Amino acid sequence: MSMRSVSEAEFQAGIRPEGVTLVDFGAEWCPPCKVLLPRLKELDAELEGAVPMLKVDVDESPALAEAFGVMSMPTVIVFKDGQPVEKLVGLQPKTAYRNVLARHMPEAAARP
């Protein structure tokens, strides 16, 4: 899986300057965050790792959570060309994450 945990220091380097990056803001103790992880793993497998996926623990990186307006967990933010373009707050079905990625990466829509 291409999802990797990043700290505040590693965050900016993990965001693609060109293309799409998905960032999951959550916490170890958050039950919906634990449910989200397998959904993102499945999506990553379906997309064959085409979208880098970063995981930010808001307890370890509160400044990042504040900078991106994360008020609830999980919050998934999709970045395109280094800028946040969409935010999904709360646990969503896998199709919601797929649809957001497809809007910003037409090649993702073509995959099964």
Side-chain angles (χ1 to χ4, degrees), residues 24-25 30 32-33 36 39 71-76 87-93 96-97:
D24 169 25
F25 289 85
C30 165
C33 301
L36 175 59
R39 293 179 188 183
M71 303 294 283
S72 297
M73 294 179 292
T75 293
V76 171
K87 181 188 286 189
L88 294 128
V89 179
L91 185 62
Q92 306 287 323
Y97 304 105

Side-chain angles (χ1 to χ4, degrees), residues 16-33:
R16 277 188 177 170
E18 293 181 7
V20 175
T21 307
L22 180 145
V23 182
D24 169 25
F25 289 85
E28 285 291 319
W29 52 265
C30 165
C33 301

Side-chain angles (χ1 to χ4, degrees), residues 1 37-47 94 98:
M1 180 168 128
L37 190 58
R39 293 179 188 183
L40 293 180
K41 285 182 180 180
E42 287 175 15
L43 184 58
D44 181 56
E46 291 170 10
L47 297 174
K94 182 175 68 174
R98 175 185 274 289

Side-chain angles (χ1 to χ4, degrees), residues 45-95:
E46 291 170 10
L47 297 174
E48 300 171 346
V51 177
M53 296 186 183
L54 306 179
K55 183 163 188 53
V56 174
D57 186 314
V58 300
D59 290 332
E60 294 176 10
S61 301
L64 280 177
E66 184 178 342
F68 291 103
V70 175
M71 303 294 283
S72 297
M73 294 179 292
T75 293
V76 171
I77 300 178
V78 174
F79 289 75
K80 183 170 186 179
D81 299 335
Q83 299 300 314
V85 291
E86 294 213 36
K87 181 188 286 189
L88 294 128
V89 179
L91 185 62
Q92 306 287 323
K94 182 175 68 174
T95 55

Side-chain angles (χ1 to χ4, degrees), residues 2-17:
S2 66
M3 179 170 277
R4 65 183 176 101
S5 294
V6 293
S7 66
E8 289 178 20
E10 302 164 320
F11 180 79
Q12 202 55 48
I15 301 293
R16 277 188 177 170

